[in-house]
Amino acid sequence: MREQQAQQEDPIERFERENRRLQEANMRLEQENDDLAHELVTSKIALRKDLDNAEEKADALNKELLMTKQKLIDAEEEKRRLEEESAQLKEMCRRELDKAESEIKKNSSIIGDYKQICSQLSERLEKQQTANKVEIEKIRQKVDDCERCREFFNKEGRIKGVSSAQDVLDEDTDEEKETLKNQLREMELELAQTKLQLVEAECKIQDLEHHLGLALNEVQAAKKTWFNRTLSSIKTATGVQGKETC
C-alpha cells in the first residue's frame, strides 16, 4: 500500500518534502557545527589561560627554589661561622679555666704555707713564753731558797735598786713580742689578700662558666634553627619538584 501510495504521489511533492527534510537536517547540523566551534574556541581559551597560569606558577616556584637554595647556602655559612666561634670560645674558656685552676692551686699552696708558718710561729711563741715562765719560776725558786740573794730581790722578784736593768730587759722582751706580733699581722694580711684573690678567681671561674653555658645555648639554638630551615627548604624543594613532575 505504501508503494502504491508512493507511486500515486506526485514526484514534485515527494521531492519538495524530501528537500525540506534535508534542509532541516542541514540547519540542525550547521547549528551543531556552530555549537561545537564555539565550544572548541572556549576550550582553547581556557586551556591557554590555564597554561599561562601554570607557567607563571612555575616561574614563581623556580624563583622560590633559587631563594631557598641561597638561604640554605647562607645558613650553612652561618653554621660554619658559629661552629668556629664556638670552638674559639671553648678554647678560650678552657685556657681561662686552666689558668684559674692553676691560680687556685697556687693560692691554695700559698695559703697552706702561710697557715703552716703561722702555726709554727704561734707554737714557737707559746713555747718561748712557756720556757720563759719556767725559767723565771726556777730563778725565783732559787732566789727564795738563798738567804743572801733574798736580800737583793723584792717580793715581786725584781732586783732592789736595779729596776732600770730589769726595765731594759722587759723592754727587749716587749720589742721581741711586738716584732713577732707585727710579723703575725703581716702574715694575716697576706693571708687575707690571698683569700681575696682566691674568691676573685672563683668568681671569675663562675663568670666564665656562665658565659660558656650561654655560648653553648646559642650554638644549640643556631643548630636547631639551621636544621629547621634546612628541613623546610628540603620540603619546599621536594614539593616544587613533585608539582613540576605532575
Side-chain angles (χ1 to χ4, degrees):
M1 291 175 65
R2 288 180 181 176
E3 289 178 356
Q4 289 178 1
Q5 289 178 358
Q7 290 177 0
Q8 292 176 0
E9 187 178 5
D10 189 3
I12 295 174
E13 293 179 356
R14 187 174 72 249
F15 289 148
E16 289 178 352
R17 187 176 64 253
E18 186 68 21
N19 188 20
R20 284 195 301 272
R21 185 179 65 79
L22 291 174
Q23 286 180 355
E24 291 175 357
N26 187 24
M27 291 176 64
R28 181 171 50 80
L29 290 173
E30 287 180 355
Q31 184 65 35
E32 291 178 358
N33 189 19
D34 293 338
D35 294 338
L36 290 173
H38 183 268
E39 186 177 354
L40 178 62
V41 172
T42 305
S43 300
K44 286 183 177 180
I45 293 172
L47 288 174
R48 185 61 188 176
K49 186 176 180 181
D50 293 338
L51 182 60
D52 293 337
N53 292 331
E55 289 178 352
E56 291 178 357
K57 192 173 183 180
D59 293 337
L61 291 175
N62 286 327
K63 291 180 181 179
E64 187 176 356
L65 179 60
L66 293 174
M67 292 175 64
T68 304
K69 288 181 178 179
Q70 185 63 35
K71 288 181 180 180
L72 179 60
I73 293 171
D74 295 338
E76 289 178 351
E77 291 179 355
E78 184 70 15
K79 176 178 174 290
R80 284 194 295 271
R81 185 181 64 80
L82 290 175
E83 287 178 350
E84 291 176 357
E85 290 180 356
S86 175
Q88 293 176 359
L89 184 60
K90 286 181 179 179
E91 183 65 22
M92 183 183 69
C93 291
R94 187 183 63 79
R95 289 197 301 268
E96 291 294 331
L97 287 174
D98 293 339
K99 183 178 178 181
E101 288 178 357
S102 63
E103 288 290 334
I104 290 172
K105 290 180 180 179
K106 182 179 178 181
N107 292 332
S108 299
S109 177
I110 293 172
I111 290 171
D113 294 339
Y114 276 118
K115 285 183 179 179
Q116 186 177 1
I117 293 170
C118 292
S119 178
Q120 291 176 356
L121 289 174
S122 298
E123 291 177 358
R124 180 182 173 185
L125 182 61
E126 290 177 359
K127 288 180 181 179
Q128 188 68 31
Q129 290 176 351
T130 305
N132 290 334
K133 287 181 181 179
V134 172
E135 189 69 24
I136 291 171
E137 194 65 31
K138 286 181 180 180
I139 293 172
R140 285 180 180 177
Q141 187 67 33
K142 289 181 180 180
V143 170
D144 291 337
D145 293 340
C146 180
E147 293 181 357
R148 294 181 62 185
C149 295
R150 195 184 304 169
E151 295 177 358
F152 297 99
F153 291 92
N154 55 17
K155 293 181 179 180
E156 296 177 354
R158 297 181 180 272
I159 300 174
K160 295 179 179 179
V162 200
S163 58
S164 59
Q166 185 66 29
D167 292 338
V168 172
L169 293 175
D170 291 339
E171 288 178 359
D172 293 337
T173 306
D174 292 338
E175 288 179 358
E176 185 178 356
K177 289 182 180 179
E178 189 67 25
T179 303
L180 292 174
K181 287 181 180 179
N182 291 331
Q183 292 178 357
L184 185 60
R185 280 197 295 271
E186 290 177 358
M187 290 181 180
E188 289 178 352
L189 181 60
E190 291 180 359
L191 180 61
Q193 291 177 354
T194 306
K195 288 182 178 179
L196 180 61
Q197 292 177 359
L198 180 61
V199 172
E200 290 177 353
E202 290 178 352
C203 293
K204 191 174 182 180
I205 290 172
Q206 291 178 358
D207 192 14
L208 289 173
E209 289 178 351
H210 178 67
H211 286 299
L212 179 60
L214 292 176
L216 291 175
N217 291 331
E218 290 179 358
V219 171
Q220 292 293 333
K223 287 183 178 179
K224 187 175 181 181
T225 305
W226 175 83
F227 179 76
N228 292 330
R229 289 179 179 176
T230 305
L231 186 61
S232 301
S233 301
I234 292 172
K235 287 182 179 180
T236 305
T238 307
V240 170
Q241 291 178 357
K243 290 179 180 179
E244 290 179 352
T245 305
C246 293

